[in-house]
Amino acid sequence: MNLNKIKKYLIISLVLFEVCVIHLAYKSFSNKPVKLPEVKLKEIEKEKKNTYAVMIDDGNGGYTESTEDKFPTEGYKLNTEKSGCIDNEGNAIENVLSVVDNKVLVSTGSTTYCYLYFDIKPPIAGDIVDKPIDGVVESTGVAEDELAVRYYGTNPPNYICFGTNDKNTCVNDTDKYMYRIIGVDKSGRFKLIKKTPIEQNSDKLFHWHNTYNTDTKWPESDLYKGLNGISGGTYNNLFIGNTTYVPSGWEGKIETINWRYGDTKSNKTAMQMVQTEQAWSTTTSAKIGLMYVADYYFAYQKSGLNCNLEAEKCKTSWVHLSQNDSEAVSLSLGEWSMSRYGENSNSYYWWSINNKTGLISWRPDQTHFNESIRPVFYLKSNTEITGIGTQTDPYIITN
């Protein structure tokens, strides 16, 4: 065999050898979960049955390895996407990490090396009750108020997205996704109202019920049925059942509660009207309702009830439609509330939050007065959020 042939065979052999090495290295790497550089599984500890690298969110976008011998239990949440376990051969071990009652469990019979990432736990509604922020009042001065805290003022940081987990999508399409937090109830649930009215056929006007000369209560009304996705009324799928506002999977984030309903008369002060509402004993179980007159009053300022029935100054509160929808004044006289004006014997009227004069009563049927509607609902108490609540950095629901 001449020298050229020998060289040729050697080159081919070396190429094949390199290909095999690359293949084996890739195969070995592909069997391991990705470990980030900051994880350090100390060699001296590998004789133990289980070795853990516990990485704690430092609040600045990074992680620091914990020196504690236990997992954090308060204020932190396991990041299941970043965490993982391998055996002493470097192979990933599947399905050994679980979270039960906020505790991390690692279950495996083999030698295991785990890297566990713990993120700072997002706040929930109850955290705002425990540590109120600017624009939140802990007590409204009414003993039977349904909410533990309420947002008040011209523009408090109570913006929140519903229907999307993407902040940019929410900020760029506020008519679909932007809501505002009215407050937090005593069960630790956010109470939300849509920032702008919902629409039907390119307008924002709805009658409360098809007729006004019959004593139709809230659970029998067309608006109640339409908002809650119940067939039989004039409207179908105004909110529940409408994927524009409630995409797949989002209805389950809304709590079913007992909504009070009843009558309030016009000769009452603001305080008396609110107390009358809060004394209603008749309820209906549903996901979606409307704002109470109390929500309108308490959103004005910290003392809550300094708006008279016809007070123009209440329009400066964040909850007023004109503060949340630039087209509201031209499109509608106002919006329906949960409170009925119960003084007429032959026909029935409903309180509306009027765009000019505060509260005003209208007939609820389609031939007389149509109003805007903004759905109101409660999120479940375990709802976690991120963000700071401003219009450009609204709260985002993370679970």
Side-chain angles (χ1 to χ4, degrees), residues 101-133:
D101 296 330
N102 294 323
K103 296 180 181 179
V104 178
L105 302 180
V106 181
S107 56
T108 176
S110 61
T111 303
T112 308
Y113 313 107
C114 297
Y115 42 98
L116 307 178
Y117 283 81
F118 290 87
D119 294 334
I120 296 174
K121 192 173 183 179
I124 58 176
D127 295 328
I128 293 178
V129 177
D130 296 334
K131 298 178 181 179
I133 58 177

Side-chain angles (χ1 to χ4, degrees), residues 35-41 53 55 61-65 82 117:
K35 292 188 292 183
L36 299 187
E38 66 264 25
V39 175
K40 302 179 182 65
L41 294 176
M55 311 303 295
Y63 293 84
T64 301
E65 187 170 358
K82 292 173 70 70
Y117 283 81

Side-chain angles (χ1 to χ4, degrees), residues 260-391:
R260 303 184 315 274
Y261 61 93
D263 297 342
T264 56
K265 297 182 179 181
S266 62
N267 62 348
K268 294 180 179 294
T269 65
M271 174 69 83
Q272 289 171 330
M273 287 194 72
V274 169
Q275 289 176 329
T276 299
E277 274 187 340
Q278 293 173 344
W280 291 338
S281 59
T282 307
T283 63
T284 186
S285 180
K287 286 182 178 287
I288 311 300
L290 300 172
M291 78 161 76
Y292 293 111
V293 172
D295 297 323
Y296 171 61
Y297 282 135
F298 284 130
Y300 170 58
Q301 63 183 34
K302 198 167 186 175
S303 57
L305 298 172
N306 291 334
C307 293
N308 297 319
L309 282 179
E310 305 298 324
E312 185 83 8
K313 62 183 179 181
C314 269
K315 286 178 59 177
T316 62
S317 80
W318 70 266
V319 81
H320 198 277
L321 189 57
S322 62
Q323 301 296 318
N324 287 284
D325 182 3
S326 60
E327 300 179 357
V329 175
S330 62
L331 285 174
S332 173
L333 292 172
E335 62 181 313
W336 296 117
S337 76
M338 288 283 289
S339 297
R340 192 172 70 165
Y341 171 63
E343 291 183 343
N344 296 71
S345 57
N346 296 321
S347 59
Y348 295 86
Y349 290 69
W350 223 261
W351 285 116
S352 164
I353 313 299
N354 188 260
N355 268 331
K356 295 181 179 179
T357 57
L359 290 183
I360 193 167
S361 59
W362 298 118
R363 291 180 178 179
D365 67 301
Q366 61 181 342
T367 59
H368 287 80
F369 296 101
N370 291 335
E371 301 285 86
S372 296
I373 53 171
R374 286 189 289 167
V376 175
F377 55 90
Y378 292 78
L379 297 177
K380 292 187 174 179
S381 60
N382 63 346
T383 301
E384 297 175 353
I385 57 172
T386 60
I388 60 175
T390 63
Q391 192 164 2

Side-chain angles (χ1 to χ4, degrees), residues 44-272:
I44 194 171
E45 294 181 342
K46 285 192 176 181
E47 294 179 1
K48 298 180 181 178
K49 183 175 179 56
N50 292 301
T51 299
Y52 305 104
V54 178
M55 311 303 295
I56 306 297
D57 187 348
D58 62 14
N60 296 311
Y63 293 84
T64 301
E65 187 170 358
S66 173
T67 58
E68 300 289 330
D69 293 330
K70 57 186 179 181
F71 302 155
T73 56
E74 297 292 333
Y76 290 91
K77 180 179 181 180
L78 180 70
N79 186 325
T80 56
E81 293 184 0
K82 292 173 70 70
S83 301
C85 295
I86 58 176
D87 61 22
N88 58 0
E89 300 296 327
N91 300 311
I93 306 176
E94 304 294 340
N95 303 318
V96 296
L97 296 179
S98 60
V99 180
V100 179
D101 296 330
N102 294 323
K103 296 180 181 179
V104 178
L105 302 180
V106 181
S107 56
T108 176
S110 61
T111 303
T112 308
Y113 313 107
C114 297
Y115 42 98
L116 307 178
Y117 283 81
F118 290 87
D119 294 334
I120 296 174
K121 192 173 183 179
I124 58 176
D127 295 328
I128 293 178
V129 177
D130 296 334
K131 298 178 181 179
I133 58 177
D134 291 340
V136 178
V137 56
E138 291 184 77
S139 174
T140 60
V142 179
E144 298 301 321
D145 188 11
E146 60 165 333
L147 299 186
V149 297
R150 289 180 177 273
Y151 284 85
Y152 68 93
T154 302
N155 192 31
N158 62 344
Y159 293 87
I160 186 169
C161 301
F162 182 86
T164 179
N165 299 114
D166 183 79
K167 180 172 69 175
N168 291 332
T169 299
C170 177
V171 170
N172 293 329
D173 199 348
T174 59
D175 282 346
K176 286 184 181 179
Y177 302 114
M178 191 73 81
Y179 292 73
R180 303 195 74 172
I181 303 170
I182 294 175
V184 180
D185 74 357
K186 295 173 182 177
S187 296
R189 299 175 295 200
F190 285 122
K191 184 179 184 181
L192 271 54
I193 185 170
K194 197 173 181 302
K195 178 178 178 291
T196 58
I198 63 174
E199 300 185 16
Q200 184 191 38
N201 300 324
S202 300
D203 63 38
K204 301 180 181 181
L205 306 180
F206 299 83
H207 54 269
W208 185 84
H209 193 64
N210 190 46
T211 61
Y212 71 89
N213 59 355
T214 56
D215 187 13
T216 304
K217 305 295 185 183
W218 168 242
E220 284 77 47
S221 69
D222 291 333
L223 201 52
Y224 167 87
K225 293 176 182 178
L227 288 171
N228 284 284
I230 300 171
S231 60
T234 302
Y235 303 119
N236 292 315
N237 301 326
L238 287 182
F239 195 68
I240 297 295
N242 186 335
T243 56
T244 297
Y245 303 116
V246 189
S248 176
W250 284 83
E251 181 181 344
K253 301 180 189 297
I254 302 174
E255 188 76 278
T256 299
I257 70 156
N258 290 324
W259 294 88
R260 303 184 315 274
Y261 61 93
D263 297 342
T264 56
K265 297 182 179 181
S266 62
N267 62 348
K268 294 180 179 294
T269 65
M271 174 69 83
Q272 289 171 330

